[in-house]
Amino acid sequence: MITSDQLHEKLKNVTVAGSTCSYTEEYCDKIAPMINEINRLKKETNTVILAHSYVNPEIVYGVSDYTGDSYQLSRNALESGADNIIFVAVKFMAETAKILNPEKNVYVPAALNGCSLADSITGADVRKLKQENPDYTFVCYINTTADVKAQCDVCVTSGNVYNIIEDLPTDKIFFVPDKLMGLNIIDEMKRRGVEKDIKLWDGVCYVHEEYDPDMIDYIRGEFDGVKVLAHPECSPGVLHHSDFVGSTAQLLKFMETSAADDFLMLTECGLSARLQVEMPEKNFVGSCSVCKYMKANTLENVLECLKNPKAQNEIHLSQEDIDGSRRCIDAMFHYAEKRN
């Protein structure tokens, strides 16, 4: 059981995202009973709740059993022993959990559960591209749907993408779907002196696309010594102006060890909110961008998913997509382990 006072004490420092995250005593009084009901029901139904770092803090700190990025959360589900998984994020992430846990019931709470990046390409698109580019190895970002993964040769995360691209035993690579990340891959391969012929799809994450170098220059002028941290889904211009680039997990690790006082975090607002809870001594400056799909997840629809999940909440995948996607993900494991 959590009291409203305990919840308020936990979340009172969260100030990012405006009214999306404002934890007054009155609001904590309102949501604490719902949090306790969710925690009771998940035990009764043997359900594990996974929450991406981008969703609202009351979910992350109130009801989630695991919090992190999409790949790590799907791995956590394997360890849980639960019969049911509620993945509080977006649909393609819940699909990854289903791929790795095909015998479990997997649900995504929000009805608005798309993604501008993942939805920019389909498995049919990849099949056509493969016919047109038969000599290319197809590499997909993990932020893709199961039918896309099933058509690709190897999957990558934002944390391992550069090393896997370098280690692939081919010079011809077609990277999907993130054009901005793809441009960053091309830059990084040049920096490493690795020759690769890389073709790109034209997808973007609308959240990370919003950031631009001019904003960084302005913030540096206002805050002397500010550290600028960026996700590799941002544009190359943003990355060139940043002090550190990494996945959500890598950004967290950097923050833990940095002695700087001020930080500009160039990724979805949820990560900054999480850091305000876990590192209240750090000062976050500038603005962040909100993902409407991640923020569509609420305590109300998590509770409803526990009580009465609708057909649209449950993840169903064909055996062909499960097998093909698992092969693609296992290829990622193979290349990642070669570096360890």
Side-chain angles (χ1 to χ4, degrees), residues 26 28 53 62 69 84 86-87 105 115 118 131 138 140 182 203 221 231 236 244-245 278 290 294 302 330 332:
E26 293 77 15
C28 290
S53 293
D69 58 27
N84 307 296
I86 293 181
F87 206 135
N105 303 311
C115 168
Q131 291 174 352
F138 276 74
C140 64
H231 192 278
F244 181 79
V245 178
E278 298 177 13
V290 172
M294 287 291 188
V302 172
D330 284 344
M332 176 178 68

Side-chain angles (χ1 to χ4, degrees), residues 121-131 145 147-148 151 201:
I121 191 168
T122 66
D125 292 326
V126 179
R127 285 193 293 272
K128 182 179 179 182
L129 290 171
K130 290 170 73 175
Q131 291 174 352
T145 57
D147 67 326
V148 169
Q151 299 302 320
W201 184 255

Side-chain angles (χ1 to χ4, degrees), residues 38-47:
I38 289 170
N39 287 329
R40 176 181 61 82
L41 286 172
K42 73 181 183 183
K43 291 179 181 178
E44 291 180 1
T45 57
N46 196 23
T47 298

Side-chain angles (χ1 to χ4, degrees), residues 167-304:
D167 292 345
L168 285 173
T170 176
D171 296 333
K172 297 180 182 295
I173 293 168
F174 207 120
F175 180 74
V176 300
D178 193 330
K179 182 178 181 179
L180 297 182
M181 182 178 284
L183 292 172
N184 293 325
I185 293 169
I186 292 171
D187 281 354
E188 179 64 15
M189 292 304 106
K190 288 179 181 177
R191 190 191 69 80
R192 295 185 181 194
V194 176
E195 292 188 10
K196 299 281 185 179
D197 174 10
I198 301 176
K199 292 186 178 183
L200 306 175
W201 184 255
D202 196 23
V204 292
C205 166
Y206 87 93
V207 170
H208 293 92
E209 186 186 27
E210 292 183 9
Y211 298 117
D212 64 73
D214 289 343
M215 182 186 70
I216 297 175
D217 291 339
Y218 173 78
I219 293 296
R220 288 197 189 279
E222 294 292 311
F223 297 90
D224 185 44
V226 64
K227 291 294 184 183
V228 180
L229 281 62
H231 192 278
E233 291 176 29
C234 295
S235 71
V238 167
L239 267 58
H240 294 159
H241 281 66
S242 299
D243 297 297
F244 181 79
V245 178
S247 65
T248 53
Q250 290 166 338
L251 295 175
L252 279 166
K253 187 173 182 180
F254 181 91
M255 289 287 302
E256 290 172 353
T257 57
S258 176
D261 295 322
D262 298 322
F263 297 87
L264 173 62
M265 185 70 69
L266 302 181
T267 189
E268 209 277 342
C269 284
L271 186 61
S272 295
R274 182 178 170 189
L275 290 166
Q276 285 183 323
V277 173
E278 298 177 13
M279 304 177 196
E281 73 282 2
K282 307 288 187 181
N283 183 38
F284 295 91
V285 302
S287 61
C288 57
S289 297
V290 172
C291 174
K292 64 182 179 180
Y293 301 108
M294 287 291 188
K295 295 302 190 282
N297 291 280
T298 64
L299 289 173
E300 287 83 359
N301 56 40
V302 172
L303 180 58
E304 182 63 22

